[in-house]
Amino acid sequence: MTLTSTVASTPADLAPVLDRSAAAAVALRSIPDDVRAGWLEAIADAIDAAREELVEIARRETHIAEVRLVGEVARTTGQLRLLAGVVREGSYLEAILDDAAPEATPPRPDLRRMLVPLGTVANFSASNFPFAFSVAGGDTAAALAAGCPVVVKAHSGHLELSHRTAEVVSEALAAAGAPEGTFALVEGRETGTALVAHPVVKAGSFTGSVNGGRALFDIASSRPDPIPFYGELGSVNPVVVTPGASAARAAELAEGLVGSFTMGSGQLCTKPGIVFVPAGSDIPSLAAAAVGEPVPAKLLTDSIDGAFTGGWAELGEIEGLTRLVDSTVGPEGGVTPGLAHAPIATFLSEPRLREELFGPATLLVSYDSLEQVFAAFDLLEGSLTGTIHAEPGEDIADLVSVVSERVGRLLFAGWPTGVAVTWSQHHGGPWPATTSLHTSVGATSLRRFLRPLVYQSAPETVLPPALRDGNPLGIPRRVNGVLELP
């Protein structure tokens, strides 16, 4: 499996790539889970071995600091290994067996249900995570773990890295014995559009802008055979600081906020973009002081840089808004962080303040009562995260109820930047944070690329091992309503 046989750079190049992918989808249905788990581990080992080379390419292309890139490689290989363990453990299959019961009303046949792979997945790489949400990132890992071939559309912001990572992945899969077509790389906007529309593709995954994701989502939905499209599109990740928390630890919260919204030059999907603080709080002034005089940092791409500087300039035109720290462009390019402040009345009346500004800036909103915060949340769209900073003894039950309606992960300590890759993690949220109810991070991310299949009164010889009598795989199963653990 060589890279030259797996790359397509124009829509016309897609046909042979997807022919191989369709053949691989058939072959993968009979590959044992343990073998497929080994492929994930082989990819992880190969990426770790090539880490220095890959990090250097990523540093040149993305302007991301080396220390963060090294950590991102570790996260990428860690999630590959986590999902290998998920596959071996077996509960992801949701195997359920109900014995025949002819005496029941109505009579019940023998029914055996499990999840099976959808088929070829089109995965669109993200700009802001060149490893963890890119060629060998979480979506690719989840799809392969589920038993689906993957065709990755490379991001234009790090093409050299995408090509080299694809070489590493392809070589690792070939050495591990994976069928040709299990993995492929394509590039180009028109190629990506054609990919989502192609009948071989059975699901899509995307991390990026609302406009780009919505366009692909509409293509996926309007096909003659609509497919699921799992997009992560935009998120302001609101934070609420209660009066008690502001009074007790304003300095700590101000420092934590600045560290969070400037992390990765504000280009993380979980950046806290809107922070509600009590009127009269010291947090705005303390946060402004904590920003200090940072060195300008280059953003990921010229288009992201232009959108950020233009958006920041537009905020300055809003009556009632104050720029506590003005974002500026450095003499050699790059931008410094920006910190803005507005009263709640301005926030409620100005829709532009409720939109995501991707980059190193955040908005502080002063409120007089939590009822005003509730009104603000009625106007907010969905986010990946929401954060509440409160003190023991404060009644926050209503606040929890309001915030939880708008987010996929609710924090009560710390800041939302940083997403642990675990069994329980959920990285998703109401529209436009994501287009679905599923997570793109953690053990249950596989569920996006699986569908239920029931075998009724099937001969033992045609049943997959997960549904056969005696539980030959030794996996968790529910039998006649009772959960049975190996």
Side-chain angles (χ1 to χ4, degrees), residues 8-12 14 122 124-125 127 152-157 159 186-197 206 208-209 211-213 215-216 219 301 303-304:
S9 56
T10 69
L14 276 178
F124 287 72
S125 295
S127 64
V152 178
K153 189 271 180 185
H155 195 280
S156 59
L159 276 178
V186 304
E187 61 183 58
R189 179 170 296 185
E190 291 183 0
T191 309
T193 300
L195 181 65
V196 173
F206 172 90
S209 69
N211 290 338
L216 293 172
I219 293 171
T301 67
S303 61
I304 290 174

Side-chain angles (χ1 to χ4, degrees), residues 13-46:
D13 299 330
L14 276 178
V17 170
L18 291 173
D19 285 346
R20 288 189 291 268
S21 185
V26 175
L28 262 59
R29 294 174 196 158
S30 60
I31 301 291
D33 279 4
D34 187 62
V35 172
R36 200 167 64 255
W39 299 349
L40 298 176
E41 291 165 339
I43 295 171
D45 291 344

Side-chain angles (χ1 to χ4, degrees), residues 9-403:
S9 56
T10 69
D13 299 330
L14 276 178
V17 170
L18 291 173
D19 285 346
R20 288 189 291 268
S21 185
V26 175
L28 262 59
R29 294 174 196 158
S30 60
I31 301 291
D33 279 4
D34 187 62
V35 172
R36 200 167 64 255
W39 299 349
L40 298 176
E41 291 165 339
I43 295 171
D45 291 344
I47 291 174
D48 279 339
R51 183 189 69 185
E52 290 187 12
E53 176 193 4
L54 295 174
V55 165
E56 174 56 26
I57 297 171
R59 187 191 60 76
R60 270 192 283 109
E61 285 193 296
T62 66
H63 316 299
I64 295 174
E66 180 178 348
V67 64
R68 187 196 132 185
L69 291 170
V70 169
E72 193 181 327
V73 171
R75 172 199 169 114
T76 302
T77 58
Q79 62 192 5
L80 282 159
R81 293 187 177 101
L82 170 71
L83 295 185
V86 170
V87 170
R88 287 197 175 98
E89 188 266 352
S91 64
Y92 83 97
L93 292 170
E94 297 182 14
I96 305 173
L97 289 71
D98 287 321
D99 292 334
E103 74 284 358
T105 304
R108 187 179 75 205
D110 183 277
L111 297 170
R112 306 189 182 206
R113 176 192 187 273
M114 64 180 290
L115 300 181
V116 298
L118 288 175
T120 296
V121 172
N123 171 24
F124 287 72
S125 295
S127 64
N128 57 339
F129 283 91
F131 292 108
F133 282 85
S134 189
V135 172
D139 290 340
T140 295
L144 291 174
C148 299
V150 182
V151 179
V152 178
K153 189 271 180 185
H155 195 280
S156 59
H158 44 83
L159 276 178
E160 182 184 352
L161 177 66
S162 296
H163 278 256
R164 184 65 189 113
T165 305
E167 286 180 341
V168 172
V169 173
S170 296
E171 290 164 4
L173 285 170
E180 185 180 14
T182 298
F183 171 86
L185 182 74
V186 304
E187 61 183 58
R189 179 170 296 185
E190 291 183 0
T191 309
T193 300
L195 181 65
V196 173
H198 200 283
V200 165
V201 172
K202 303 303 180 186
S205 58
F206 172 90
T207 300
S209 69
V210 173
N211 290 338
R214 182 58 194 252
L216 293 172
F217 180 60
D218 289 346
I219 293 171
S221 301
S222 62
R223 289 171 33 146
D225 57 334
I227 59 171
F229 185 82
Y230 302 110
E232 180 189 322
L233 310 184
S235 187
V236 298
N237 305 298
V239 177
V240 181
V241 178
T242 66
S246 176
R249 43 195 174 95
E252 171 196 329
L253 292 171
E255 290 179 7
L257 169 62
V258 172
S260 186
F261 89 79
T262 61
M263 184 181 296
S265 298
Q267 298 168 108
L268 306 184
C269 51
T270 51
K271 180 200 77 174
I274 299 173
V275 184
F276 297 94
V277 298
S281 171
D282 292 331
I283 290 176
S285 60
L286 291 170
V291 171
E293 298 182 5
V295 176
K298 291 186 177 180
L299 301 187
L300 292 162
T301 67
D302 290 342
S303 61
I304 290 174
D305 186 290
F308 174 77
T309 54
W312 180 255
E314 185 177 339
L315 286 182
E317 301 170 357
I318 296 175
E319 186 176 352
L321 180 137
T322 304
R323 290 191 283 195
L324 302 175
V325 177
D326 195 14
S327 174
T328 59
V329 178
E332 298 181 2
V335 297
T336 60
L339 183 66
H341 176 262
I344 190 73
T346 300
F347 183 84
L348 294 175
S349 63
E350 179 50 72
R352 288 176 292 177
L353 296 182
R354 303 192 287 273
E355 297 174 358
E356 180 184 24
L357 179 57
F358 192 72
T362 197
L363 171 68
L364 293 161
V365 180
S366 293
Y367 67 87
D368 297 304
S369 67
L370 285 179
E371 285 70 25
Q372 292 175 325
V373 175
F374 300 161
F377 268 82
D378 284 340
L379 300 176
L380 288 178
E381 295 184 308
S383 282
L384 295 167
T385 73
T387 304
I388 297 174
H389 285 290
E391 288 297 289
E394 288 189 288
D395 183 1
I396 59 171
D398 290 343
L399 181 59
V400 169
S401 177
V402 168
V403 177

Side-chain angles (χ1 to χ4, degrees), residues 95-101 108-113 454-457 467 469 478-482:
I96 305 173
L97 289 71
D98 287 321
D99 292 334
R108 187 179 75 205
D110 183 277
L111 297 170
R112 306 189 182 206
R113 176 192 187 273
V454 173
Y455 292 80
Q456 181 170 325
S457 304
L467 297 180
D469 293 338
R478 187 171 295 278
V479 179
N480 296 322
V482 178

